[in-house]
Coordinates of all heavy atoms in Angstrom, one line a residue:
R74 N 74.6 -0.8 -120.0 CA 74.8 -1.0 -118.6 C 73.5 -0.6 -117.8 O 73.2 -1.3 -116.9 CB 75.9 -0.1 -118.1 CG 77.3 -0.6 -118.6 CD 78.4 0.2 -117.9 NE 78.4 1.6 -118.1 CZ 78.9 2.3 -119.2 NH1 79.5 1.6 -120.1 NH2 78.7 3.6 -119.3
Y75 N 72.8 0.4 -118.3 CA 71.6 0.9 -117.6 C 70.6 -0.2 -117.6 O 69.9 -0.5 -116.6 CB 71.1 2.2 -118.2 CG 69.9 2.7 -117.5 CD1 70.0 3.5 -116.4 CD2 68.6 2.5 -118.0 CE1 68.9 4.0 -115.7 CE2 67.5 3.0 -117.3 CZ 67.7 3.8 -116.2 OH 66.6 4.3 -115.5
V76 N 70.3 -0.9 -118.7 CA 69.4 -1.9 -118.8 C 69.8 -3.1 -117.9 O 68.9 -3.7 -117.2 CB 69.2 -2.4 -120.3 CG1 68.4 -3.7 -120.4 CG2 68.5 -1.3 -121.1
E77 N 71.0 -3.4 -117.9 CA 71.5 -4.5 -117.1 C 71.3 -4.2 -115.6 O 70.8 -5.1 -114.9 CB 73.0 -4.8 -117.3 CG 73.6 -5.9 -116.6 CD 73.1 -7.3 -117.1 OE1 72.8 -7.4 -118.3 OE2 72.9 -8.2 -116.2
E78 N 71.6 -3.0 -115.2 CA 71.5 -2.6 -113.8 C 70.0 -2.3 -113.3 O 69.7 -2.4 -112.1 CB 72.4 -1.4 -113.5 CG 73.8 -1.7 -113.7 CD 74.7 -0.5 -113.7 OE1 74.2 0.6 -113.5 OE2 75.9 -0.6 -113.9
N79 N 69.1 -2.0 -114.3 CA 67.8 -1.6 -113.9 C 66.7 -2.5 -114.6 O 65.6 -2.1 -114.8 CB 67.5 -0.2 -114.3 CG 68.4 0.8 -113.6 OD1 68.1 1.1 -112.5 ND2 69.5 1.2 -114.2
S80 N 67.1 -3.8 -114.8 CA 66.2 -4.7 -115.5 C 64.9 -4.9 -114.8 O 63.9 -5.1 -115.4 CB 66.9 -6.0 -115.8 OG 67.3 -6.6 -114.6
Q81 N 64.9 -4.8 -113.4 CA 63.6 -5.0 -112.7 C 62.7 -3.9 -112.9 O 61.5 -4.1 -113.1 CB 63.9 -5.2 -111.2 CG 64.6 -6.5 -110.9 CD 64.9 -6.7 -109.4 OE1 65.1 -5.7 -108.7 NE2 64.9 -7.9 -109.0
V82 N 63.2 -2.7 -113.0 CA 62.3 -1.5 -113.2 C 61.8 -1.4 -114.6 O 60.7 -1.1 -114.9 CB 63.1 -0.2 -112.9 CG1 62.3 1.0 -113.3 CG2 63.5 -0.1 -111.4
L83 N 62.7 -1.9 -115.6 CA 62.4 -1.8 -117.0 C 61.6 -3.0 -117.5 O 61.1 -3.0 -118.6 CB 63.7 -1.6 -117.8 CG 64.5 -0.4 -117.6 CD1 65.8 -0.4 -118.3 CD2 63.7 0.8 -118.0
F84 N 61.5 -4.1 -116.7 CA 60.9 -5.3 -117.1 C 59.5 -5.1 -117.7 O 58.6 -4.5 -117.1 CB 60.8 -6.3 -115.9 CG 60.3 -7.6 -116.3 CD1 61.2 -8.6 -116.7 CD2 59.0 -8.0 -116.2 CE1 60.7 -9.9 -117.1 CE2 58.5 -9.2 -116.6 CZ 59.4 -10.2 -117.0
G85 N 59.3 -5.6 -119.0 CA 58.0 -5.4 -119.6 C 57.7 -4.1 -120.2 O 56.6 -3.8 -120.6
K86 N 58.7 -3.2 -120.1 CA 58.5 -1.8 -120.6 C 59.2 -1.5 -121.9 O 60.0 -2.3 -122.4 CB 59.1 -0.8 -119.5 CG 58.6 -1.0 -118.1 CD 57.2 -0.5 -118.0 CE 56.8 -0.6 -116.5 NZ 55.4 -0.5 -116.4
N87 N 58.9 -0.4 -122.5 CA 59.5 0.1 -123.7 C 60.6 1.2 -123.4 O 60.3 2.0 -122.5 CB 58.5 0.7 -124.6 CG 57.4 -0.3 -125.0 OD1 57.7 -1.4 -125.5 ND2 56.2 0.0 -124.8
L88 N 61.7 1.1 -124.1 CA 62.7 2.1 -123.9 C 62.9 2.8 -125.3 O 63.4 2.2 -126.2 CB 64.0 1.5 -123.5 CG 65.2 2.4 -123.1 CD1 64.8 3.4 -122.0 CD2 66.4 1.6 -122.8
F89 N 62.5 4.1 -125.4 CA 62.5 4.8 -126.6 C 63.8 5.6 -126.7 O 64.2 6.3 -125.8 CB 61.4 5.8 -126.7 CG 60.0 5.1 -126.8 CD1 59.3 4.7 -125.7 CD2 59.5 4.8 -128.1 CE1 58.1 4.1 -125.8 CE2 58.2 4.2 -128.2 CZ 57.5 3.8 -127.0
I90 N 64.5 5.5 -127.8 CA 65.8 6.1 -128.0 C 65.7 6.9 -129.4 O 65.5 6.3 -130.4 CB 67.0 5.1 -128.1 CG1 67.0 4.3 -126.8 CG2 68.3 5.8 -128.3 CD1 67.9 3.0 -126.9
N91 N 66.0 8.2 -129.3 CA 66.0 9.0 -130.6 C 67.3 8.7 -131.4 O 68.4 8.6 -130.8 CB 65.9 10.5 -130.3 CG 64.6 10.8 -129.8 OD1 63.5 10.3 -130.2 ND2 64.5 11.7 -128.8
L92 N 67.1 8.6 -132.7 CA 68.3 8.4 -133.6 C 68.1 9.3 -134.8 O 67.1 9.4 -135.4 CB 68.3 6.9 -134.1 CG 69.4 6.5 -135.0 CD1 70.7 6.5 -134.2 CD2 69.2 5.2 -135.7
E93 N 69.2 10.1 -135.0 CA 69.2 11.0 -136.1 C 69.2 10.2 -137.4 O 69.9 9.2 -137.5 CB 70.4 11.9 -136.0 CG 70.5 12.8 -134.8 CD 69.3 13.7 -134.6 OE1 68.9 14.4 -135.6 OE2 68.8 13.8 -133.5
R94 N 68.6 10.8 -138.4 CA 68.6 10.2 -139.8 C 70.1 10.0 -140.3 O 70.4 9.1 -140.9 CB 67.8 11.0 -140.8 CG 66.3 10.9 -140.6 CD 65.6 11.8 -141.5 NE 66.2 11.8 -142.8 CZ 65.5 11.7 -143.9 NH1 64.2 11.6 -143.9 NH2 66.2 11.7 -145.1
S95 N 70.9 11.0 -139.9 CA 72.3 11.0 -140.4 C 73.1 9.9 -139.7 O 74.2 9.7 -140.2 CB 72.9 12.4 -140.1 OG 72.9 12.7 -138.7
H96 N 72.6 9.2 -138.7 CA 73.3 8.1 -138.1 C 73.0 6.8 -138.8 O 73.6 5.8 -138.4 CB 73.0 8.1 -136.6 CG 73.3 9.3 -135.9 ND1 73.0 9.5 -134.6 CD2 73.9 10.4 -136.3 CE1 73.4 10.7 -134.2 NE2 74.0 11.3 -135.2
L97 N 72.0 6.8 -139.6 CA 71.6 5.5 -140.2 C 72.6 4.9 -141.2 O 72.5 3.8 -141.7 CB 70.3 5.7 -140.9 CG 69.1 5.8 -140.0 CD1 67.8 6.3 -140.7 CD2 68.8 4.4 -139.3
C98 N 73.7 5.7 -141.5 CA 74.7 5.1 -142.4 C 75.9 4.6 -141.6 O 76.9 4.1 -142.2 CB 75.1 6.2 -143.4 SG 75.8 7.7 -142.7
D99 N 75.9 4.8 -140.3 CA 77.0 4.3 -139.5 C 76.8 2.9 -139.1 O 76.1 2.5 -138.2 CB 77.1 5.2 -138.2 CG 78.4 4.9 -137.4 OD1 78.7 3.7 -137.2 OD2 78.9 5.8 -136.8
K100 N 77.5 2.0 -139.8 CA 77.3 0.6 -139.6 C 77.7 0.1 -138.2 O 77.1 -0.8 -137.7 CB 78.0 -0.2 -140.7 CG 77.4 0.0 -142.1 CD 78.3 -0.6 -143.2 CE 77.7 -0.4 -144.5 NZ 77.5 0.9 -145.0
F101 N 78.7 0.7 -137.6 CA 79.1 0.3 -136.3 C 78.1 0.7 -135.3 O 77.7 -0.1 -134.4 CB 80.5 1.0 -135.9 CG 81.6 0.5 -136.8 CD1 82.1 1.3 -137.8 CD2 82.1 -0.8 -136.6 CE1 83.1 0.9 -138.6 CE2 83.2 -1.2 -137.5 CZ 83.7 -0.4 -138.4
L102 N 77.5 1.9 -135.4 CA 76.4 2.3 -134.5 C 75.2 1.4 -134.6 O 74.6 1.0 -133.7 CB 76.1 3.8 -134.7 CG 74.8 4.3 -134.0 CD1 75.1 4.2 -132.5 CD2 74.5 5.7 -134.4
L103 N 74.9 1.1 -135.9 CA 73.7 0.2 -136.1 C 73.9 -1.2 -135.5 O 73.0 -1.7 -134.9 CB 73.4 0.1 -137.6 CG 73.0 1.4 -138.3 CD1 72.7 1.1 -139.8 CD2 71.8 2.1 -137.7

Side-chain angles (χ1 to χ4, degrees):
R74 289 189 304 274
Y75 184 82
V76 168
E77 184 68 35
E78 295 168 2
N79 296 281
S80 59
Q81 290 178 330
V82 174
L83 296 172
F84 186 85
K86 305 288 184 194
N87 299 305
L88 185 62
F89 295 87
I90 305 165
N91 290 321
L92 182 70
E93 300 299 315
R94 288 174 42 133
S95 58
H96 299 176
L97 287 165
C98 60
D99 186 321
K100 292 170 179 60
F101 296 106
L102 174 59
L103 297 180

